[in-house]
Amino acid sequence: MGTNGCILSSKDGITWTSQSSGTTSWLLGATYGGGKYVVVGDNGCVLISPNGIIWINPNQSATTARLNNVTYGNGRYVAVGEGGAVISSADGLKWELGNSGLTGWLRGLAFVRGFDYATDYGSVVFTPGSIPDRFEAAGQGGIIITSVDGISWTRDTRTYDFYNGLFANDIEALMPEGPYNSSAWRDDISVGSAGSVENSFWYQWLSHAGAVTPTEYNNITAVPNPVELRAVAQGGGRLFVAGENGTIFENSEAYRAEGAALTDWTQIDSGTSANLVAATSVGDAVFIVGDGETILSYTPPAASRLTNISCRAQVGLGAASLNAGFVVGGRGTSGSLPVLIRASGPALAAFGVPDFLPDPYLRLYWRGVGADYVTGNAAWGGGSLMLEEASAVGAFPWVNASSLDSALALTVSSGPYAATIETTTGDSGVALAEIYDALPAASVTPSSSRLINISARAVVGGGADALIAGFVIAGTDPKTVLIRASGPALTKLGVPGSLADPVLNVYSTVHSETPIVTGTNWTADQGLANASTWVGAFDWGNEPTLDAAVLITLPPGSYTANVTAASGDSGIALIEVYEVD
């Protein structure tokens, strides 16, 4: 959006369409949440839309000040602007005036997730509390204020680093960062005048009184070309800042050490001299906009890819079958993809699984327009080709050529597929479904088709009846993934007996005891909702539910995503892992 009420929208970030806003006001900030788009601008202008196309002016924004930014979190919209103006709303229609205590302008704004913290010193565990979810606003003179409700605001009293002193540069933009190790939590990154970049983090300190208290610290640096920076975004494991004269700097900060300052900036040729004023991202895709209707987009080449999913679950008759889905394709790709699909039952005995499914029957279905059966297998037969394929993709070996394990090795075109594992004799037991990208690493190019979505549906219970999905990220760069555990959401799709309250835990197989991240209770989070829409996941709606999801950038490696029941009951659950490119 921009001057004269201009609003442009796009479904793919490539083709943009002008929409009628019904105003000539200068529009400066936009957000999405609670099922609505909200845009704010000059003279207290607020516009709302259910779809980004039809716009309504509620004519009640509680201020006539210019509003520079708006965001959404925990069921509330918050907007900030000139003269310290702060307004908030639960529905986007009726707005309430807040009290920032400021007279200078505010432009940076973000909703920052809180965290619970605990640290272990020897045999004593300290669990003193948590940092709450909150809104953060920043602006003139480097001031930062925070609020848990968007109405009452307090001055942020973070501690600044010893080398650069108090941060006094104007702050033009601010974005949240997530947790990144067991003893420190990232908080926010802000940019502003004189090329300044500030990154904040929380750290635990053990006091002499025997308690752990969190302290917020800042590192303050500057990009090599000290222009005024007005935009910041993350994508593809990289940080991007942008500002005057088409200036863009990149920082590959994905492996930045705990509390380390942001250094090692690389300037990018943007191809424009326009002033760049705002940036956002969806997964790995970054968009930067500026003067003269300049729209820049960047999606890093697929230097990493999902190469394998494995799902273990209890399998029985009918609805108790194990369904593993996958989608082949990817932005900028073409052609087909060789895959190896296996259904392990008896082969699991070698791993000490006593109640394995003795007779897994593997079927493959096309799930595009005109869904149809492709092929199937009831016993793999010990063929040398299948052994060679398994060895090439790193699958564990099957040693019994006469076992009733099942497998398929074939080449598939782009599109959605489902591999189902059923019992042929009515038995039940634990089975493992595996889907491998079988394209040799030496043949992979950025345009090679790849696995962009992998999923599994099964009955979830307690203990050994958890739904366990493993996935592998291969390559050199981090990859942003959306992981969802659907239970109640399946009811909308006509699935009876869905799991009432799924809990999602994601683990690294290298450090498998402590979850990297846990997801519970969908709250219509803006980032998760945007990512779900972007990747084409089925809609969970705008109201909080007990479904669970996480959006996270992970380095190459092996991971498991476990779905269990919070209340110990059982039911059908669906786990999905999406590449967010």
Side-chain angles (χ1 to χ4, degrees):
M1 68 285 163
T3 55
N4 299 315
C6 174
I7 294 180
L8 305 179
S9 67
S10 173
K11 292 183 177 181
D12 57 10
I14 299 171
T15 302
W16 293 82
T17 303
S18 178
Q19 308 295 345
S20 174
S21 66
T23 183
T24 57
S25 293
W26 182 13
L27 304 176
L28 293 108
T31 193
Y32 177 83
K36 299 183 183 78
Y37 294 91
V38 176
V39 168
V40 299
D42 215 1
N43 300 313
C45 178
V46 173
L47 305 176
I48 61 174
S49 172
N51 54 17
I53 299 172
I54 300 171
W55 291 88
I56 301 169
N57 186 340
N59 294 318
Q60 200 280 321
S61 72
T63 184
T64 57
R66 177 188 298 164
L67 296 172
N68 296 317
N69 211 338
V70 62
T71 194
Y72 177 85
N74 280 356
R76 198 159 190 87
Y77 305 94
V78 172
V80 299
E82 300 297 304
V86 178
I87 62 173
S88 64
S89 172
D91 58 9
L93 295 171
K94 185 177 181 180
W95 293 78
E96 180 178 355
L97 187 65
N99 180 18
S100 70
L102 304 176
T103 58
W105 51 259
L106 293 168
R107 290 177 188 161
L109 179 64
F111 176 72
V112 181
R113 286 290 181 191
F115 57 86
D116 294 314
Y117 58 92
T119 190
D120 187 355
Y121 289 89
S123 60
V124 181
V125 177
F126 300 91
T127 54
S130 63
I131 304 300
D133 294 350
R134 64 208 180 280
F135 296 94
E136 294 186 358
Q140 192 172 0
I143 196 165
I144 298 175
I145 57 175
T146 65
S147 172
V148 296
D149 60 7
I151 300 171
S152 299
W153 294 78
T154 59
R155 178 73 180 267
D156 192 293
T157 56
R158 61 188 63 177
T159 302
Y160 291 84
D161 71 0
F162 298 106
Y163 300 103
N164 294 288
L166 184 66
F167 186 67
N169 291 327
D170 294 340
I171 297 177
E172 297 278 349
L174 181 148
M175 59 160 282
E177 281 197 302
Y180 66 123
N181 63 29
S182 61
S183 60
W185 294 265
R186 295 179 179 178
D187 185 26
D188 62 55
I189 292 177
S190 57
V191 298
S193 57
S196 56
V197 181
E198 170 200 45
N199 63 288
S200 173
F201 64 97
W202 290 85
Y203 198 85
Q204 302 174 139
W205 289 100
L206 178 63
S207 73
H208 294 295
V212 177
T213 57
T215 302
E216 191 177 17
Y217 282 83
N218 272 22
N219 286 303
I220 305 163
T221 54
V223 296
N225 181 7
V227 300
E228 181 166 311
L229 297 175
R230 297 180 177 175
V232 56
Q234 283 178 301
R238 297 168 172 85
L239 180 69
F240 297 88
V241 298
E244 292 180 318
N245 304 318
T247 303
I248 299 177
F249 277 91
E250 173 191 18
N251 190 301
S252 299
E253 54 86 51
Y255 299 106
R256 171 159 50 90
E258 160 188 314
L262 287 162
T263 57
D264 301 324
W265 293 97
T266 301
Q267 188 163 0
I268 296 174
D269 183 3
S270 67
T272 180
S273 59
N275 291 330
L276 303 175
V277 299
T280 191
S281 64
V282 182
D284 291 342
V286 175
F287 299 90
I288 300 175
V289 299
D291 291 349
E293 296 191 4
T294 298
I295 301 175
L296 306 176
S297 65
Y298 171 76
T299 300
S304 297
R305 51 200 277 144
L306 295 170
T307 58
N308 161 233
I309 181 177
S310 60
C311 180
R312 197 190 83 166
Q314 189 76 215
V315 176
L317 289 170
S321 62
L322 172 57
N323 297 273
F326 62 98
V327 178
V328 173
R331 289 175 182 270
T333 68
S334 61
S336 55
L337 179 71
V339 295
L340 172 66
I341 308 171
R342 304 201 309 178
S344 295
L348 298 179
F351 297 94
V353 179
D355 56 342
F356 59 82
L357 184 68
D359 55 346
Y361 185 15
L362 174 63
R363 290 186 175 95
L364 179 65
Y365 295 87
W366 161 259
R367 289 305 187 205
V369 177
D372 202 1
Y373 174 72
V374 178
T375 186
N377 180 255
W380 72 292
S384 59
L385 176 61
M386 200 64 67
L387 290 171
E388 292 171 3
E389 288 278 0
S391 176
V393 299
F396 72 91
W398 286 352
V399 296
N400 184 357
S402 60
S403 75
L404 295 180
D405 302 292
S406 303
L408 294 168
L410 70 166
T411 297
V412 296
S413 58
S414 297
Y417 297 86
T420 65
I421 299 178
E422 302 168 325
T423 172
T424 58
T425 60
D427 296 313
S428 63
V430 176
L432 176 71
E434 301 167 280
I435 300 166
Y436 293 92
D437 176 340
L439 183 66
S443 301
V444 171
T445 69
S447 62
S448 301
S449 289
R450 58 187 185 269
L451 298 173
I452 58 174
N453 161 225
I454 47 185
S455 61
R457 194 192 81 170
V459 175
V460 175
D465 291 338
L467 175 57
I468 304 173
F471 61 97
V472 176
I473 298 174
T476 58
D477 290 351
K479 179 163 286 295
T480 302
V481 292
L482 170 68
I483 307 173
R484 307 201 311 175
S486 297
L490 297 180
T491 304
K492 301 176 183 178
L493 304 181
V495 178
S498 62
L499 185 65
D501 55 353
V503 176
L504 172 63
N505 284 299
V506 181
Y507 298 85
S508 164
T509 54
V510 178
H511 306 287
S512 59
E513 295 184 1
T514 302
I516 299 170
V517 64
T518 297
T520 58
N521 297 10
W522 159 251
T523 59
D525 177 85
Q526 177 184 345
L528 291 170
N530 287 347
S532 296
T533 301
W534 186 254
V535 300
F538 74 93
D539 187 14
W540 277 0
N542 303 320
E543 299 300 323
T545 72
L546 296 181
D547 303 290
V550 297
L551 180 66
I552 189 170
T553 299
L554 297 170
S558 301
Y559 302 90
T560 59
N562 296 7
V563 182
T564 56
S567 56
D569 56 353
S570 62
I572 296 174
L574 172 71
I575 188 165
E576 304 163 282
V577 181
Y578 292 90
E579 170 191 274
V580 189
D581 67 342

